[in-house]
Amino acid sequence: MGYQWVDCDRATVSGRYDRIAGLIPLFDRLFFLPRGMRRKAVANLGLKSGDRVLEIGCGTGNSFPYLREAVGASGRVFGVDISAGMLRKAARRRAANDWRNIELCEYDAAEYRAPTPLDGVLFSLSYNTMPHHRAVLRNAWDQLRPGGRLVIMDAKLPSGPAAKLLLPFSLWLMKRTMLGNPLIRPWQELAAVAGPVDMSECLFSSYYICGATKPWRNVAAAEAANDDSEIAAAHRIAAE
Ligand SMILES: C[S@@+](CC[C@H](N)C(=O)[O-])C[C@H]1O[C@@H](n2cnc3c(N)ncnc32)[C@H](O)[C@@H]1O
């Protein structure tokens, strides 16, 4: 039997998240998110102090503590989300922690442009909830500086016969809760845009973290882009 997912429009997605924003603290437990998963996903970005990182579909800011720790007080964290209800909670969390370098924006991630090139982009449990995920991915990849990393952390159907058993339940549950399409394969979409992808799985392959590094440009391309730090890096790499 073939199963299908019917995408919702963006207003339905934002309306759903506005309504469930208060329940988000329960969701990590309800969906058995493995302990340490967010920390691991952020570590995979390879950020350092002073870096600029974007979380796409940041929701209530569950990953902010790890992002903020990774870039320090001198770095910048951008959070974009389509749901005003989720962002209100993120803003409360930011105020309670006095995180002054976190900038929130209510926008569709397919059209959002960060104010500066990015050292890292994170999708944490958000990629599958975006009906136009490929456009969002291309837009994010485009804003990453060479050498920067893009990481997707999410749930997936386990491999093998278990997937067939779980698929009807998974479709039913996602339709009623997060609107996350379990039929897509984000790691393949990332590979199509970015080239080589690293991937790790846990909890019987039901959660994964995949990531890719944006390649450096060669000297001619860096000079055409007219970016001094890239030109210097391209010369250094060419000389190695
Ligand atoms: C399951 S929540 C994950 C929230 C958060 N990243 C976390 O780890 O807890 C998915 C989030 O993606 C957001 N989202 C869905 N479609 C979006 C879009 N097109 N642009 C921006 N955010 C979007 C939703 O509003 C929601 O806050």
Side-chain angles (χ1 to χ4, degrees):
M1 178 171 180
Y3 289 97
Q4 271 197 335
W5 178 264
V6 180
D7 278 328
C8 298
D9 57 63
R10 296 174 212 184
T12 306
V13 175
S14 62
R16 170 68 57 87
Y17 278 97
D18 284 349
R19 281 198 296 285
I20 66 173
L23 300 173
I24 291 293
L26 304 175
F27 274 37
D28 283 9
R29 286 204 197 139
L30 198 67
F31 289 94
F32 301 105
L33 181 72
R35 268 171 79 93
M37 202 68 188
R38 290 178 193 281
R39 182 178 286 285
K40 222 168 135 189
V42 172
N44 203 292
L45 286 166
L47 296 166
K48 57 185 185 330
S49 177
D51 275 354
R52 299 139 303 175
V53 61
L54 166 66
E55 184 180 0
I56 294 191
C58 64
T60 60
N62 281 331
S63 298
F64 285 171
Y66 311 106
L67 292 170
R68 172 53 227 216
E69 190 181 293
V71 301
S74 63
R76 289 172 82 182
V77 178
F78 306 102
V80 63
D81 202 286
I82 204 169
S83 154
M86 297 290 271
L87 284 173
R88 263 195 298 279
K89 297 217 172 282
R92 251 178 251 153
R93 186 186 292 235
R94 175 180 62 180
N97 290 284
D98 198 21
W99 286 327
R100 295 178 192 192
N101 56 342
I102 296 186
E103 295 162 49
L104 301 174
C105 186
E106 185 188 335
Y107 224 72
D108 184 333
E111 280 137 36
Y112 172 80
R113 299 299 293 184
T116 168
L118 299 164
D119 301 293
V121 176
L122 175 68
F123 290 85
S124 151
L125 306 174
S126 61
Y127 191 85
N128 293 48
T129 68
M130 300 176 188
H132 51 333
H133 39 88
R134 290 199 181 109
V136 174
L137 181 62
R138 279 194 302 273
N139 183 37
W141 186 253
D142 193 40
Q143 296 181 66
L144 203 58
R145 67 152 179 83
R149 299 254 314 150
L150 187 150
V151 167
I152 304 174
M153 183 271 275
D154 223 319
K156 71 176 189 57
L157 290 166
S159 22
K164 272 202 183 129
L165 284 174
L166 283 174
L167 185 55
F169 173 67
S170 178
L171 284 165
W172 178 87
L173 184 65
M174 285 297 124
K175 204 78 206 162
R176 275 152 193 82
T177 54
M178 319 251 264
L179 295 175
N181 180 353
L183 299 175
I184 62 171
R185 295 171 174 225
W187 53 95
Q188 289 179 351
E189 297 182 2
L190 180 57
V193 169
V197 164
D198 47 85
M199 175 139 165
S200 62
E201 298 177 334
C202 64
L203 200 66
F204 310 107
S205 303
S206 59
Y207 279 94
Y208 69 92
I209 296 171
C210 67
T213 304
K214 191 156 181 176
W216 287 94
R217 294 193 243 233
N218 64 26
V219 174
E223 280 174 354
N226 202 20
D227 178 320
D228 288 343
S229 66
E230 263 198 57
I231 295 168
H235 276 291
R236 200 184 59 240
I237 291 167
E240 277 169 9

